[in-house]
Amino acid sequence: MKTGCGIMALRYFCTTNISSRYHDASTKTLAPSSLFLTNSGMHSSTPETNTKNKSTADNLKSIVNTLVLPSISSSPLHSLHKGNWVKLICGASFEDVVDIRNLSLVYTLAGVDCIDCAADASVVSAVNEGIEAARDIVCVRRPWVMISVNDDKDLHFRKAEFDPEDCPADCSRPCENVCPASAISFLGKSLGISYNTEAPSVLKDGIITERCYGCGRCVPVCPYDKIREVTYVRDAITTADLIQRDDIDAMEIHTSGRQSNLFKQLWSALGDSVGYLKLVAVSLPNGGDSTISSMNYMFSIMKPNLQSFNLWQLDGRPMSGDIGRGATKESIAFAVQLAKAKERPPGFLQLAGGTNAHTIEGLKKEGLFQTTISEYLHDDESQINSSGSPHALIGGIAYGGYARKIVGRILRSMQSEHGGAASIEDHSEYLLMALKEALALVGPVKCL
């Protein structure tokens, strides 16, 4: 079976099955399903639904077994070389372990190469639990697990904060409407839904801290200027200990690129722990003319004890991929700038920051989608400091806010029907819908 055919066929299967079986989902609530895809088998609560549920589960497992596995059998490193690497960004500050587990399960089945998450032990465990749940459904290869840290104040490492008691009763609450993570609630006592525990509990009004990932959109819309930003820096020693877990494969350092001394301090504090990693990524914004010099200096800091591959994450417009089509323009422009840059340090290049369903189209227009250095520069590699390897100039794409949005809305529907702690593999109709959305995003990168 050809590499692209598996994902295309599975996408077709998901589309046709969902449209025929659940076409009326938008006009009525999906019928509760007691289907469980577990190691012990499949169960139905009533004889009447047993045949239908078993058929759905058999179809799901059969199609995934037949079509997904051949499509994602290559290693994450091979994907980077080939230019079809896909990373799911759960969020450096997003700590809702139930959502993280479900997102990790869905995107593992869809074929991502890496899942990036907060440098928190419980979050890392949730990612790995989701991965293993996917591997219980079908024996797919394991994506790399990456943790994100920062060397200084950074947009990705902040939380919103306010006291709901200070909010006027007649406030229209624009903050609640604009939040992409459903992290602001004024209905906790009436709903009694918990998004981050194993049993329903009463929500506290205000910011749901574990769901807030620091996008900052609530701050300017508050008509009473009540919302504050709280920033933090991950502790290097705690991170070094965390890296030594056997279920962490990669680390990403978020930096402005302007405070090289802070980057050096963090790298030094991490010590020998970096030797446990398969990949070290540095995420940085576009610093204009100073970008290349900053990259080279940071690489010189890392090089003496860098024992893994390295990657540069080009953070175009942070945390904006879910806003709309134009959000991806800055990340593509950043990629074009780096592709043509002289004296660029070694390392894979990967897009992030504003990436969405339109990113591939933009890369293709610029001639950068799965294009080698020699192809892009018409065989003139003399200006680029490269190893001469024929790997793709752009190693791949990281999807964050947009990836979470398209699957997250399905998770919200599932949780409203089955509770905040619901596992998506226990509800096959939702798993199929979520997998369809994930494949629509991942598929264009993976299907050649």
Side-chain angles (χ1 to χ4, degrees), residues 220-268:
V221 303
C222 178
Y224 301 99
D225 196 26
K226 298 289 186 181
I227 304 177
R228 304 173 295 278
E229 295 179 359
V230 179
T231 60
Y232 62 95
V233 177
R234 292 285 183 187
D235 180 69
I237 303 302
T238 303
T239 299
D241 291 339
L242 189 62
I243 288 173
Q244 296 179 48
R245 287 177 48 155
D246 60 7
D247 55 2
I248 294 176
D249 308 282
M251 175 186 65
E252 183 166 270
I253 300 174
H254 289 255
T255 181
S256 67
R258 297 186 297 270
Q259 300 291 334
S260 55
N261 60 317
L262 295 176
F263 184 90
K264 187 174 183 178
Q265 289 173 17
L266 172 59
W267 187 257
S268 177

Side-chain angles (χ1 to χ4, degrees), residues 130-174:
I131 291 171
E132 293 309 313
R135 286 160 60 86
D136 283 344
I137 297 173
V138 59
C139 188
V140 296
R141 68 101 167 90
R142 180 181 176 274
W144 286 350
V145 175
M146 173 185 285
I147 59 171
S148 281
V149 298
N150 54 326
D151 64 359
D152 196 10
K153 290 183 179 180
D154 185 277
L155 295 176
H156 302 85
F157 296 82
R158 62 180 180 175
K159 299 278 189 180
E161 183 180 273
F162 70 91
D163 185 349
E165 296 298 322
D166 293 340
C167 298
D170 60 348
C171 181
S172 62
R173 299 169 180 167

Side-chain angles (χ1 to χ4, degrees), residues 34-46:
S34 57
L35 172 67
F36 296 90
L37 300 179
T38 66
N39 292 329
S40 59
M42 304 165 198
H43 307 280
S44 179
S45 59
T46 63

Side-chain angles (χ1 to χ4, degrees), residues 78-380:
H78 179 73
S79 296
L80 278 171
H81 280 286
K82 198 172 182 179
N84 64 359
W85 157 279
V86 180
K87 183 177 80 170
L88 167 67
I89 303 174
C90 289
S93 293
F94 189 65
E95 298 169 326
D96 184 327
V97 295
V98 173
D99 262 21
I100 289 168
R101 179 195 181 279
N102 286 328
L103 286 166
S104 298
L105 186 158
V106 171
Y107 279 100
T108 295
L109 289 178
V112 298
D113 299 281
C114 182
I115 300 177
D116 184 3
C117 68
D120 176 88
S122 61
V123 171
V124 171
S125 295
V127 171
N128 280 286
E129 184 179 332
I131 291 171
E132 293 309 313
R135 286 160 60 86
D136 283 344
I137 297 173
V138 59
C139 188
V140 296
R141 68 101 167 90
R142 180 181 176 274
W144 286 350
V145 175
M146 173 185 285
I147 59 171
S148 281
V149 298
N150 54 326
D151 64 359
D152 196 10
K153 290 183 179 180
D154 185 277
L155 295 176
H156 302 85
F157 296 82
R158 62 180 180 175
K159 299 278 189 180
E161 183 180 273
F162 70 91
D163 185 349
E165 296 298 322
D166 293 340
C167 298
D170 60 348
C171 181
S172 62
R173 299 169 180 167
C175 60
E176 188 175 14
N177 295 327
V178 78
C179 179
S182 302
I184 300 177
S185 172
F186 292 93
L187 300 174
K189 293 181 179 179
S190 61
L191 292 178
I193 298 174
S194 171
Y195 293 100
N196 196 40
T197 60
E198 296 183 358
S201 64
V202 177
L203 275 178
K204 182 180 72 173
D205 285 348
I207 300 292
I208 306 171
T209 305
E210 62 271 11
R211 293 197 58 79
C212 176
Y213 63 83
C215 71
R217 298 176 204 176
C218 59
V219 177
V221 303
C222 178
Y224 301 99
D225 196 26
K226 298 289 186 181
I227 304 177
R228 304 173 295 278
E229 295 179 359
V230 179
T231 60
Y232 62 95
V233 177
R234 292 285 183 187
D235 180 69
I237 303 302
T238 303
T239 299
D241 291 339
L242 189 62
I243 288 173
Q244 296 179 48
R245 287 177 48 155
D246 60 7
D247 55 2
I248 294 176
D249 308 282
M251 175 186 65
E252 183 166 270
I253 300 174
H254 289 255
T255 181
S256 67
R258 297 186 297 270
Q259 300 291 334
S260 55
N261 60 317
L262 295 176
F263 184 90
K264 187 174 183 178
Q265 289 173 17
L266 172 59
W267 187 257
S268 177
L270 291 172
D272 294 336
S273 67
V274 296
Y276 289 84
L277 300 170
K278 299 173 183 174
L279 180 72
V280 173
V282 175
S283 179
L284 72 164
N286 192 341
D289 294 338
S290 66
T291 301
I292 296 299
S293 60
S294 296
M295 290 171 65
N296 275 299
Y297 185 70
M298 286 187 286
F299 184 75
S300 71
I301 292 171
M302 295 189 295
K303 186 176 180 179
N305 62 331
L306 182 64
Q307 302 176 40
S308 64
F309 292 93
N310 73 297
L311 178 149
W312 303 98
Q313 176 167 284
L314 313 183
D315 198 7
R317 183 178 175 183
M319 297 180 287
S320 65
D322 61 308
I323 293 176
R325 183 186 186 95
T328 194
K329 291 181 179 179
E330 291 184 39
S331 63
I332 293 171
F334 198 178
V336 171
Q337 175 186 329
L338 267 289
K340 297 178 178 178
K342 299 180 180 180
E343 303 301 326
R344 176 166 51 82
F348 296 103
L349 299 179
Q350 173 221 275
L351 273 65
T355 51
N356 53 36
H358 305 286
T359 303
I360 293 295
E361 177 186 348
L363 283 176
K364 288 180 178 178
K365 285 182 178 179
E366 296 294 341
L368 283 173
F369 182 62
Q370 297 178 354
T371 303
T372 65
I373 296 173
S374 59
E375 288 171 340
Y376 185 70
L377 297 176
H378 307 291
D379 296 319
D380 179 14

